């Protein structure tokens, strides 16, 4: 794990349209606003914040997080409900993963009830709009900190 805490926040397709379309479901904030909220919630930790509309690129970003991140927050958007390839990529990570959604997919259409991210996530934060991201960042950083503390303890006892 990196010495300095690095948190990856990955965003899937269409989230670049936040604040422009469907504000009744996804709120009025833009993705840039959400990035600023994540950076504020992360304090001194470095936030690498990305968005892509392409499945393969999202998977490349997950691979990058595997090398560089202490924890991952992911809102895979529509790929949450469809992408076995994304699940396969996420399964290769050993860092904590927190699944995040603006809306509450469980309260929406049936096809949104299945998540290919949840099986490998430490937890899921959904339904709180941009506040979901702030909560997810806090949770991911707490898990990363706990990991690094327990790694430090096992180093001193071996
Ligand atoms: O609630 C979430 O964060 C979702 O991940 C958003 C996805 C949806 O497919 C998931 O079920 C739940 C959709 C993202 C689309 O974002 C838009 C933003 C503005 C306008 C249109 C789409």
């Amino acid at each position: 794990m990196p010495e300095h805490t690095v948190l990856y926040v990955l965003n899937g397709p269409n989230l670049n349209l936040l604040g422009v379309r469907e504000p009744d479901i996804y709120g009025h904030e833009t993705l840039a606003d959400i990035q600023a909220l994540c950076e504020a919630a992360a304090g001194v930790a470095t936030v690498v914040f990305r968005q892509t509309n392409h499945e393969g690129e999202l998977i490349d970003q997950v691979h990058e997080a595997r090398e560089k991140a202490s924890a991952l927050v992911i809102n895979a958007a529509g790929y949450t409900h469809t992408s076995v390839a994304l699940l396969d990529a996420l399964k290769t990570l050993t860092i904590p993963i927190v699944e995040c959604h603006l809306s509450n997919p469980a309260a929406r259409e049936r096809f949104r009830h299945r998540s290919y991210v949840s099986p490998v996530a430490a937890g899921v934060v959904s339904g709180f709009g941009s506040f979901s991201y702030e909560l997810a960042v806090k949770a991911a950083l707490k898990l990363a900190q706990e990991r690094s503390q327990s790694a430090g303890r096992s180093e001193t006892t071996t």
Side-chain angles (χ1 to χ4, degrees):
M1 174 148 104
E3 201 61 5
H4 176 69
T5 305
V6 177
L7 176 68
Y8 269 54
V9 181
L10 299 182
N11 295 280
N14 300 306
L15 288 166
N16 55 311
L17 298 176
L18 281 178
V20 182
R21 302 265 311 273
E22 301 192 40
D24 44 322
I25 304 176
Y26 300 118
H28 288 278
E29 282 151 310
T30 65
L31 200 58
D33 294 332
I34 290 176
Q35 178 171 359
L37 289 172
C38 289
E39 286 165 355
V44 295
T46 298
V47 174
V48 176
F49 193 94
R50 301 259 175 79
Q51 187 274 332
T52 177
N53 291 324
H54 306 280
E55 186 174 16
E57 197 172 320
L58 185 61
I59 288 165
D60 286 343
Q61 291 171 358
V62 169
H63 293 174
E64 190 183 309
R66 191 164 65 89
E67 302 291 328
K68 300 188 177 163
S70 320
L72 171 66
V73 170
I74 184 164
N75 181 355
Y79 291 138
T80 306
H81 315 298
T82 63
S83 183
V84 175
L86 177 63
L87 170 60
D88 289 341
L90 290 169
K91 273 185 175 170
T92 70
L93 271 60
T94 54
I95 56 171
I97 300 168
V98 177
E99 179 179 352
C100 174
H101 298 284
L102 295 154
S103 66
N104 177 4
R108 300 180 62 191
E109 304 96 320
R110 202 170 176 79
F111 64 83
R112 295 185 202 276
H113 297 182
R114 165 184 286 180
S115 167
Y116 284 96
V117 176
S118 294
V120 289
V124 184
V125 185
S126 61
F128 302 110
S130 60
F131 190 45
S132 290
Y133 278 76
E134 294 181 69
L135 293 169
V137 164
K138 293 281 185 201
L141 290 176
K142 185 169 190 293
L143 293 171
Q145 188 188 20
E146 285 167 3
R147 288 261 179 113
S148 90
Q149 280 166 354
S150 78
R153 271 199 300 277
S154 68
E155 260 167 39
T156 54
T157 54
T158 51

